[in-house]
Amino acid sequence: MQHLGTDLARAASVLRSGGLVGMPTETVYGLAANALDVVAVARIFSAKNRPHFDPLIVHLSDWTEVDRVAQAIPAEAQLLWNQLGPAPLTYVLPKRPEVPDLVTSGLDHVAVRIPQLILARQLLATAGVPVAAPSANPFGFVSPTTAQHVADQLGDQVDYILDGGACGVGVESTIVAWPEGRAVVLRLGGIPVETLTEILGYEPEIRTSSSKPSAPGMLDAHYAPGKPVRLMAHGTDWSQVTVPQGIQALAFAANDWVASLTTHGDCAEGAQRLFAALREFAASDYRELWIELAPEVGLGRAINDRLRRAAHRAED
Ligand code: TXA
Ligand code: MG
């Protein structure tokens, strides 16, 4: 039977019976399983080849469900929810004992997200269980932004892939935590830091370095397309760049000389297209990618974070 389609009831029943579902969200596709079913969660780790020290985000259909997995919710988390509602934002909250240690890698906090994509929330509501879902890519690879990407990379390991079309945001959620009272951003993502600053009334500290054990998934060499990626400064004058044969050049905005990630230099468009572009490069005959950074504001910061990781090569 075809295991990629738009059958929401089937996807929900797979989740309820301990299976794995390719779940669409506004950021990237997730590899979803019932978060309270340890055997199902263990299947996520083996399908992704993901180390167990990297905890998973728990997805809920609504904030009213948050008490099922978290407790002692910080007032600022409530404030962000009140202002933003379902959004590409993940809240790290004190966990309830019901959440298996496998989900949180033994941490006493759980990452919680209520996705903006209506289809995702419908799936979560129909399944009726909290759903653990990392991005649906093998560990270290580029995140999937279409159902077909999931099928290509994890096809035979997933029981059903719910097709929700191409992801509108295209980079993963912003992760916010309250380790010492004030908000700290652990991952730059779909909600710009500027938006958080506006709501909180102060600029949260950004702590995205892989050296910090609080965000074990933020390894430098993530998003690796498997070939060299060279970063070009934002604002590069491409008319002055000689691109050797065999190298793919990708400017940020359309120009007369090389291909571009966006038409008009809009960061939302850039984020939406980023992972598909990295994927196309990985599958191409080009031996190297020269890609221009986004402006260091708003979603551009999330784009640049992913590009720097894609360009990072372990030194040995
Ligand atoms: O947009 C997204 O967040 C997507 C979609 C599917 O929702 N999910 C996603 O999951 O990006 P994943 O597993 O690829 O990234 C989750 C990140 C990891 O870096 C992990 O270390 C961090 O969240 N994380 C999860 N639980 C955490 C916790 N309790 N404390 C700190 N960081 C946590
Ligand atoms: Mg991921």
Side-chain angles (χ1 to χ4, degrees):
M1 206 200 293
Q2 174 60 261
H3 79 308
L4 187 160
T6 55
D7 187 345
L8 185 125
R10 179 170 166 198
S13 99
V14 168
L15 286 175
R16 270 197 307 273
S17 56
L20 296 187
V21 168
M23 175 175 76
T25 82
E26 73 281 13
T27 57
V28 301
Y29 274 73
L31 182 62
N34 180 351
L36 305 180
D37 177 340
V38 182
V39 176
V41 173
R43 287 187 62 201
I44 294 180
F45 284 91
S46 61
K48 274 190 63 109
N49 203 7
R50 178 173 172 124
H52 286 93
F53 62 73
D54 195 5
L56 305 176
I57 295 174
V58 174
H59 298 70
L60 303 171
S61 62
D62 193 64
W63 188 257
T64 53
E65 298 277 301
V66 79
D67 298 333
R68 287 177 77 174
V69 294
Q71 54 195 344
I73 313 290
E76 288 186 348
Q78 182 70 50
L79 174 68
L80 289 174
W81 166 262
N82 291 346
Q83 296 291 313
L84 295 169
L89 181 65
T90 293
Y91 304 78
V92 176
L93 305 170
K95 92 175 190 72
R96 287 189 65 87
E98 290 84 346
V99 179
D101 282 335
L102 187 55
V103 171
T104 59
S105 305
L107 299 173
D108 55 6
H109 284 66
V110 60
V112 173
R113 169 160 133 73
I114 292 117
Q116 194 166 46
L117 187 76
I118 292 171
L119 182 63
R121 276 183 281 130
Q122 284 172 336
L123 172 62
L124 294 163
T126 310
V129 291
V131 164
S135 51
N137 49 282
F139 185 71
F141 285 78
V142 174
S143 300
T145 52
T146 68
Q148 192 57 49
H149 292 163
V150 182
D152 291 345
Q153 284 193 310
L154 293 172
D156 50 356
Q157 319 229 45
V158 189
D159 299 301
Y160 188 69
I161 301 169
L162 182 62
D163 191 349
C167 300
V169 175
V171 290
E172 297 87 346
S173 59
T174 300
I175 301 180
V176 61
W178 286 266
E180 302 107 18
R182 278 164 75 92
V184 171
V185 170
L186 300 182
R187 178 171 71 183
L188 297 165
I191 288 288
V193 176
E194 291 89 334
T195 303
L196 301 180
T197 302
E198 201 172 302
I199 297 169
L200 296 171
Y202 65 93
E203 193 176 329
E205 183 193 335
I206 297 169
R207 214 182 277 177
T208 57
S209 160
S210 61
S211 60
K212 295 286 193 299
S214 55
M218 301 303 291
L219 301 173
D220 277 341
H222 241 67
Y223 308 98
K227 294 186 278 189
V229 175
R230 174 170 155 187
L231 305 180
M232 308 291 283
H234 183 68
T236 290
D237 178 357
W238 288 93
S239 73
Q240 300 300 310
V241 179
T242 309
V243 182
Q245 254 219 316
I247 291 185
Q248 182 183 8
L250 208 54
F252 189 64
N255 62 86
D256 291 339
W257 298 279
V258 297
S260 66
L261 187 63
T262 73
T263 43
H264 302 296
D266 174 44
C267 288
E269 184 193 0
Q272 207 262 331
R273 299 197 46 200
L274 178 67
F275 289 150
L278 289 177
R279 217 169 258 281
E280 279 159 30
F281 161 64
S284 75
D285 291 333
Y286 290 113
R287 65 171 189 275
E288 189 171 333
L289 173 67
W290 292 3
I291 185 165
E292 182 182 343
L293 291 162
E296 201 66 41
V297 291
L299 278 177
R301 293 163 81 167
I303 295 174
N304 291 345
D305 170 85
R306 303 305 185 274
L307 285 178
R308 289 188 183 109
R309 289 172 203 280
H312 183 92
R313 308 197 83 199
E315 283 165 39
D316 53 359

